[in-house]
Amino acid sequence: MEGGSMAALARLQARLSGLREEYYRRNRSIDEDRKIEYKAAVKIQSWFRGCRVRAYLRHLNNMATFIQKWWRGYRSRRYFLKTVKTAYFIMKMNFYNEVAVRIQKRWRGYYVRKYIHNYYALKKYLEAVSMNNEFVRNELQQYTEMKENEEKRKDLEKKEKEKQYQARKMHYLLSTEQIAGIYNSPFRKSPDPMELLLRKSKPLSHKRQQMKSPFTSELYDWPTCRRPPIFSTAEPLPPIGRQKPQGPFRDTAEVLQQRYKPLEPTLRVAASINSPLEKAREEMKMEEWRNRVHDNEFLPFSSYHKNEKYDPSICRSGRYGQETYGIKHFREVQPKKWIAGKDFQTVSPSIVLFEKLGKTYSRTGQIV
Amino acid sequence: MSQRQVLQVFEQYQRARTQFVQAVAELAARPQNIETLQSAGVMSLLRPLLLDVVPTIQQTAALALGRLANYNDDLAEAVVKGDILPQLVCSLSEQNRFYKKAAAFVLRAVGKHSPQLAQAIVQCGALEMLVICLEDFDPGVKEAASWALGYIARHNSELSQAVVDAGAVPLVVLCIQEPEIALKRIAASTLSDISKHSPELAQTVVDAGAIAHLAQMILNPDAKLKRQVLSALSQIAKHSVDLAELVVEAEIFPVVFTCLKDSDEYVKKNGATLIREIAKHTPELSQLIVNTGGVAAVIDCIGSCRGTVRLPGIMMLGYVAAHSENLSMAVIVSKGIPSLCACLIEEHEDHIKAAAAWALGQIGRHTPEHARAVAESNVLPTLLAMYTDIRSSEDLQIKTKKALKNILQKCTYLPALEPLLHDAPPNIMKHIVGQFSKVLPHDSKARRLFVTTGGLKKLQEIQAEPGSLLQEYINTINNCYPEEIVRYYSPGYSEILLERLENYHPVS
């Protein structure tokens, strides 16, 4: 191998100068082109990179638009939905309100007409009021008429009394058998009514008219204080000194004592008219009445013994059973010793009263 | 000189005193003598006679003093200044019934003039003595004492309170139950005087059980007693709803209505006052009165009397109508309006007219229905005439104006409004035109009538300030009519037509 390589080296060395030239030439041409190539490469690269970035940006933009599109779409769809819902809601509410108003209107109208401003009730009430008024007016009218009548009657009575009093006063004008009075003119057919009245009435007696009690009249007049005082005039002044009356009179005190002496009855008059026996009875009755606690006699309650358990007596509750005596028979009966089947005839006469028992009677008491 | 001659001197003296005091008492009963008596120094002469040994002279002296004090307040003051009251009060408890009566008469005569004099009596401690007199056996003494207490209590609430504090009320209530009519009268009047000042005093009277006894006596045939009883009940009822209800609970309705038919004027008046005082409190009480037929009775009463007796009845109708529209309608149905109109026209006194106008206003102010009822009775022109009359008092003018306003604001009855258009002052015109402007746009017949009766013409003549309410109403009415008609009826339209005629040149 060594040989071979030596040869190669020799060849190379032979060619070295050419090579060097060629090398230089080649480098030179390369250097000459290098700038152009570099620029071209940069251009290519920049274009490519620009393309790539633009594409990327475009892609990004597209993506953003896409996202925005979707987002906006979503949002506005949501908004729209909401708006529609609201509008629907409002529409619904309006409808409901309208309906509610309609219902309320009806109800309120009904309610007010029925309970608050019931026209018919009002009309009825007013009619009732006017009827009541009419009634009250009638009543009051009657009342006043009654009052007026009473007044008239009183007046008439007063006048009548006055007339009668006058007739009594003028009784002396009565005509006699012989002389006709002034009311009984002989030229007339019938006498004057006054004459008739005179005939009926009695003349006034000569007795003085009874004085009115000063007390009552004064009481009546007093509050006005217009009339002169009566209470001072009626009483006489207190006597200052009194003379002894003339004549053989007894002493005043003695007379008065005799006049007003107390009653002194005799023993017989003073005693009671009831007999002492009756009195004693009365006394006893009173005593009894006093001593009794209360009037009603004490009676045991009928229901008092109801719940009481019956306690058998010793002979009835014996160990050997009950004796029949007192329950089934009250007399010892020994049928074995009987001779005949029926009772003996009684010897003593029957009591008449008992004979009549259970029979029918006639009216007169005979047995039929 | 015998003993007899000596005694005769005394007897003469006593007789002379008696004669003197009796003569003075009799002279004092006539007003024309009093000046002379006063100038003759009668006071100083009577005073020692009050302390005379003889009771008769004492009594007559007291009576004379009472009559003098009764005459005027100068003499009453002279009695107070003469220190006579303490004497009277001291002897009031010791003396006999005649003296008590006379002394109570003096106290009454002094106390009736003024609150100051009554106060002087109270300060003498007379109230306690008078209250003791109320317990007296004699009805005359009771009467006198009750009367004096009443006159003292009449003045103001303090004096009345003093009378109440002295414990008079239960005894006065006992006095009402006595059989004597005169005593009953005075006692009822005293209760009325006591209870008129304040609700508390009235409550005191009520607490003493007065209402039941008073209510029983409404049917009493005695007219004067009835007056006092009704007055007392109304004075009690006027204060508050509770008291009025207590009075109503004594079952005074419908018994009271008989009093409205009484022959005595004052009984009528007091009865109507009682009903008014009860009706004014609440709608319920008014309703009660309406239901028992009280309104009809009152209306009859108004129709049957004249003058001030009518006044409480008129006011009662007003109060009832003011409470609610139903009650107002009840008044209308009971034919209240014609009698109120009659009052308005017949009466001469302004305050009664004013009350009638007020009552009509209260009746008509509720609804158009009410206003129509009032307007149909043709009372509006009368009210308007009263309002515009210069002679009517200020109060009457205010009342009529308010009544007109109340009625007009509700009235839709145009025939009644038409005549008012011609002579109403602007402040009333406003309401009338307002009513027309409300009705005319909706009623074609009324529109037609309005033109034919000359209302539209009148309307155009009204000088209204531009922009005012009246102008607005007028415009509303004008808008209901075609323009030509409005222009035709405007004042000065004929001149415009003539002007146009002159300016017109026929084309030839």
Side-chain angles (χ1 to χ4, degrees):
Chain A
M1 275 289 287
E2 201 84 16
S5 57
M6 283 312 222
L9 189 59
R11 266 188 316 242
L12 271 174
Q13 268 166 349
R15 282 179 53 197
L16 197 56
S17 59
L19 273 174
R20 205 170 273 163
E21 203 167 318
E22 202 178 332
Y23 171 70
Y24 175 74
R25 211 186 52 231
R26 273 193 195 173
N27 267 3
R28 191 174 161 186
S29 68
I30 287 169
D31 276 349
E32 273 176 1
D33 290 342
R34 177 166 299 170
K35 217 165 195 177
I36 298 162
E37 278 172 11
Y38 175 72
K39 275 187 178 168
V42 164
K43 203 167 230 173
I44 290 164
Q45 278 177 0
S46 70
W47 176 80
F48 177 75
R49 284 195 187 137
C51 276
R52 212 171 59 178
V53 166
R54 270 191 291 278
Y56 182 61
L57 278 179
R58 200 164 52 243
H59 172 75
L60 278 185
N61 266 340
N62 281 344
M63 283 301 109
T65 311
F66 187 77
I67 291 169
Q68 281 176 354
K69 186 177 82 184
W70 274 101
W71 171 242
R72 286 187 182 149
Y74 166 73
R75 225 174 48 175
S76 45
R77 269 190 296 279
R78 213 173 57 170
Y79 175 73
F80 175 71
L81 197 68
K82 224 158 113 185
T83 318
V84 165
K85 266 187 181 167
T86 320
Y88 178 65
F89 182 74
I90 288 170
M91 203 178 76
K92 224 166 51 175
M93 278 319 286
N94 282 344
F95 176 72
Y96 287 155
N97 280 341
E98 198 182 312
V99 171
V101 164
R102 218 183 283 169
I103 294 169
Q104 284 173 359
K105 192 172 79 183
R106 281 298 167 102
W107 165 247
R108 284 184 187 154
Y110 167 76
Y111 182 78
V112 165
R113 273 189 287 276
K114 177 148 189 183
Y115 295 106
I116 296 170
H117 190 83
N118 190 344
Y119 174 72
Y120 292 101
L122 183 65
K123 205 169 149 189
K124 227 163 142 190
Y125 173 69
L126 289 177
E127 267 169 20
V129 163
S130 51
M131 261 172 65
N132 194 16
N133 284 343
E134 207 55 41
F135 176 74
V136 167
R137 280 187 172 128
N138 281 336
E139 288 277 298
L140 287 178
Q141 193 60 37
Q142 279 174 15
Y143 175 77
T144 39
E145 273 168 18
M146 197 181 75
K147 279 263 156 158
E148 272 169 18
N149 286 340
E150 208 161 301
E151 206 94 314
K152 270 185 198 162
R153 197 173 49 79
K154 264 186 188 164
D155 262 13
L156 270 180
E157 267 176 20
K158 206 176 167 190
K159 273 183 189 160
E160 193 66 24
K161 244 184 184 173
E162 190 76 7
K163 219 171 166 185
Q164 274 176 6
Y165 180 72
Q166 283 298 328
R168 288 183 69 188
K169 218 172 162 185
M170 300 193 300
H171 191 263
Y172 57 88
L173 293 175
L174 186 70
S175 52
T176 57
E177 289 284 332
Q178 301 300 322
I179 309 165
I182 58 163
Y183 292 116
N184 193 8
S185 169
F187 305 110
R188 280 200 193 172
K189 258 186 237 169
S190 60
D192 198 82
M194 191 63 187
E195 173 71 19
L196 300 178
L197 196 65
L198 283 180
R199 273 183 210 166
K200 263 188 271 176
S201 54
K202 273 196 286 183
L204 275 183
S205 59
H206 289 289
K207 248 193 283 173
R208 281 192 66 190
Q209 290 293 302
Q210 202 176 6
M211 282 284 286
K212 263 189 181 174
S213 149
F215 177 68
T216 52
S217 70
E218 174 216 346
L219 179 71
Y220 194 74
D221 294 330
W222 195 81
T224 56
C225 285
R226 294 222 179 85
R227 294 199 192 173
I230 303 164
F231 49 77
S232 52
T233 52
E235 271 178 67
L237 287 175
I240 290 179
R242 178 183 273 178
Q243 282 178 325
K244 202 175 169 240
Q246 208 175 5
F249 296 127
R250 285 193 175 185
D251 192 27
T252 330
E254 199 184 338
V255 172
L256 283 178
Q257 198 203 348
Q258 195 169 1
R259 186 164 177 188
Y260 297 115
K261 77 177 168 190
L263 181 71
E264 288 175 20
T266 59
L267 190 62
R268 184 175 172 77
V269 172
S272 166
I273 51 167
N274 291 341
S275 67
L277 179 68
E278 221 160 291
K279 241 183 174 175
R281 274 186 193 151
E282 196 72 18
E283 185 69 24
M284 269 171 67
K285 252 187 196 166
M286 290 306 289
E287 180 78 34
E288 194 188 341
W289 188 84
R290 269 204 301 275
N291 291 343
R292 222 162 34 205
V293 181
H294 54 76
D295 286 337
N296 296 336
E297 194 182 341
F298 181 78
L299 294 169
F301 300 107
S302 57
S303 59
Y304 181 71
H305 296 289
K306 242 177 205 169
N307 297 332
E308 203 180 352
K309 212 179 153 191
Y310 176 69
D311 237 352
S313 60
I314 294 171
C315 60
R316 303 234 359 236
S317 59
R319 277 164 78 181
Y320 308 106
Q322 290 179 358
E323 280 188 36
T324 52
Y325 176 79
I327 297 169
K328 291 182 178 162
H329 55 91
F330 297 93
R331 202 199 295 190
E332 275 184 78
V333 183
Q334 291 161 331
K336 282 177 190 166
K337 293 186 176 174
W338 286 355
I339 315 167
K342 59 176 184 177
D343 284 352
F344 293 115
Q345 199 177 357
T346 47
V347 179
S348 55
S350 62
I351 298 165
V352 182
L353 192 68
F354 292 165
E355 289 288 289
K356 291 182 179 176
L357 194 70
K359 302 277 169 41
T360 50
Y361 303 93
S362 70
R363 278 271 170 79
T364 50
Q366 301 298 316
I367 297 168
V368 179
Chain B
M1 279 285 169
S2 68
Q3 190 196 7
R4 188 183 158 194
Q5 277 168 323
V6 174
L7 287 175
Q8 202 168 13
V9 173
F10 280 90
E11 194 164 353
Q12 267 176 2
Y13 178 49
Q14 186 176 337
R15 205 168 280 150
R17 277 186 330 226
T18 316
Q19 270 175 2
F20 170 72
V21 86
Q22 280 180 4
V24 167
E26 228 165 299
L27 288 172
R30 304 191 200 302
Q32 66 266 27
N33 299 334
I34 293 205
E35 298 281 327
T36 327
L37 283 173
Q38 195 182 0
S39 54
V42 70
M43 281 292 172
S44 47
L45 288 176
L46 281 178
R47 201 185 148 200
L49 288 176
L50 271 182
L51 296 174
D52 204 280
V53 280
V54 184
T56 322
I57 294 175
Q58 283 182 15
Q59 290 151 23
T60 321
L63 183 62
L65 262 182
R67 283 180 182 167
L68 286 170
N70 205 11
Y71 179 66
N72 66 18
D73 52 345
D74 286 340
L75 282 166
E77 228 173 282
V79 171
V80 173
K81 281 185 183 153
D83 278 339
I84 292 172
L85 293 180
Q87 275 178 33
L88 281 172
V89 171
C90 286
S91 46
L92 200 57
S93 54
E94 300 148 10
Q95 297 280 353
N96 63 9
R97 58 198 171 97
F98 300 116
Y99 185 77
K100 279 181 185 169
K101 264 194 263 184
F105 172 53
V106 176
L107 292 176
R108 183 183 106 207
V110 171
K112 86 170 188 185
H113 292 293
S114 72
Q116 287 77 30
L117 289 170
Q119 186 64 43
I121 294 176
V122 173
Q123 277 163 1
C124 290
L127 288 181
E128 285 71 25
M129 290 303 144
L130 286 172
V131 169
I132 291 170
C133 283
L134 278 181
E135 291 179 81
D136 201 282
F137 185 69
D138 185 49
V141 175
K142 280 191 214 175
E143 193 184 318
S146 169
W147 207 342
L149 286 172
Y151 271 26
I152 292 168
R154 176 171 294 184
H155 293 295
N156 57 37
S157 59
E158 287 83 35
L159 287 167
S160 194
Q161 188 63 50
V163 170
V164 170
D165 290 342
V169 173
L171 293 169
V172 176
V173 172
L174 276 181
C175 285
I176 298 182
Q177 305 165 44
E178 296 288 330
E180 289 82 10
I181 295 283
L183 179 54
K184 281 184 177 194
R185 272 184 217 158
I186 305 294
S189 137
T190 305
L191 286 179
S192 163
D193 284 338
I194 291 173
S195 56
K196 78 178 176 187
H197 296 292
S198 72
E200 291 76 26
L201 290 166
Q203 188 64 48
T204 322
V205 172
V206 171
D207 288 343
I211 287 181
H213 300 296
L214 287 172
Q216 273 176 359
M217 285 190 288
I218 291 175
L219 276 179
N220 200 297
D222 187 72
K224 284 180 185 164
L225 175 59
K226 262 199 258 187
R227 282 183 204 171
Q228 302 297 352
V229 164
L230 292 171
S231 153
L233 283 175
S234 54
Q235 297 290 11
I236 291 170
K238 80 175 181 183
H239 292 293
S240 70
V241 184
D242 296 334
L243 290 168
E245 276 172 0
L246 282 175
V247 171
V248 169
E249 274 168 22
E251 295 184 349
I252 59 166
F253 296 116
V255 181
V256 181
F257 303 147
T258 57
C259 296
L260 298 177
K261 282 280 181 184
D262 207 278
S263 50
D264 191 278
E265 294 283 289
Y266 286 96
V267 173
K268 273 186 188 176
K269 189 180 171 188
N270 288 355
T273 311
L274 171 58
I275 299 173
R276 179 191 76 192
E277 298 299 349
I278 292 170
K280 79 176 182 187
H281 287 297
T282 63
E284 288 76 24
L285 287 170
S286 290
Q287 180 99 50
L288 177 82
I289 291 171
V290 169
N291 290 355
T292 45
V295 171
V298 170
I299 288 167
D300 280 7
C301 172
I302 290 177
S304 67
C305 53
R306 298 275 172 279
T308 44
V309 185
R310 278 174 163 179
L311 187 61
I314 295 170
M315 288 177 73
M316 180 262 177
L317 291 182
Y319 279 129
V320 169
H323 282 308
S324 80
E325 53 181 282
N326 287 356
L327 290 171
S328 178
M329 208 46 169
V331 173
I332 293 171
V333 163
S334 316
K335 306 185 184 80
I337 293 176
S339 16
L340 283 176
C341 295
C343 291
L344 204 59
I345 294 160
E346 284 168 10
E347 290 299 333
H348 304 296
E349 286 189 54
D350 274 355
H351 67 277
I352 302 178
K353 282 187 195 170
W358 170 78
L360 282 171
Q362 296 301 334
I363 293 172
R365 68 169 196 163
H366 294 288
T367 65
E369 197 74 8
H370 294 80
R372 187 193 172 107
V374 176
E376 272 178 344
S377 66
N378 206 16
V379 77
L380 296 181
T382 320
L383 282 174
L384 191 63
M386 272 172 197
Y387 175 54
T388 50
D389 195 354
I390 314 154
R391 282 167 296 168
S392 37
S393 66
E394 199 178 330
D395 180 52
L396 177 57
Q397 284 188 342
I398 293 171
K399 291 264 163 61
T400 44
K401 187 192 167 193
K402 273 210 159 161
L404 273 174
K405 198 176 153 188
N406 282 339
I407 298 167
L408 288 176
Q409 278 178 345
K410 291 288 177 189
C411 187
T412 55
Y413 183 61
L414 300 185
L417 295 181
E418 287 266 7
L420 301 185
L421 268 180
H422 295 282
D423 42 10
N427 51 350
I428 300 292
M429 187 64 86
K430 187 172 63 184
H431 302 298
I432 303 170
V433 177
Q435 289 310 110
F436 274 111
S437 75
K438 281 179 206 162
V439 177
L440 288 179
H442 308 290
D443 191 347
S444 57
K445 265 187 200 167
R447 278 203 291 271
R448 195 189 155 85
L449 262 177
F450 190 59
V451 174
T452 50
T453 52
L456 192 62
K457 187 159 183 275
K458 177 68 196 144
L459 193 74
Q460 303 309 323
E461 287 163 10
I462 295 170
Q463 305 280 332
E465 284 175 38
S468 64
L469 210 56
L470 182 56
Q471 185 62 50
E472 230 170 83
Y473 292 143
I474 293 174
N475 289 342
T476 318
I477 297 175
N478 286 346
N479 288 340
C480 312
Y481 290 98
E483 207 179 332
E484 294 90 345
I485 294 183
V486 175
R487 233 188 292 154
Y488 177 73
Y489 282 113
S490 307
Y493 182 63
S494 50
E495 278 96 72
I496 293 169
L497 277 184
L498 283 176
E499 215 170 285
R500 272 178 67 186
L501 189 70
E502 276 171 20
N503 293 341
Y504 185 73
H505 300 292
V507 185
S508 56

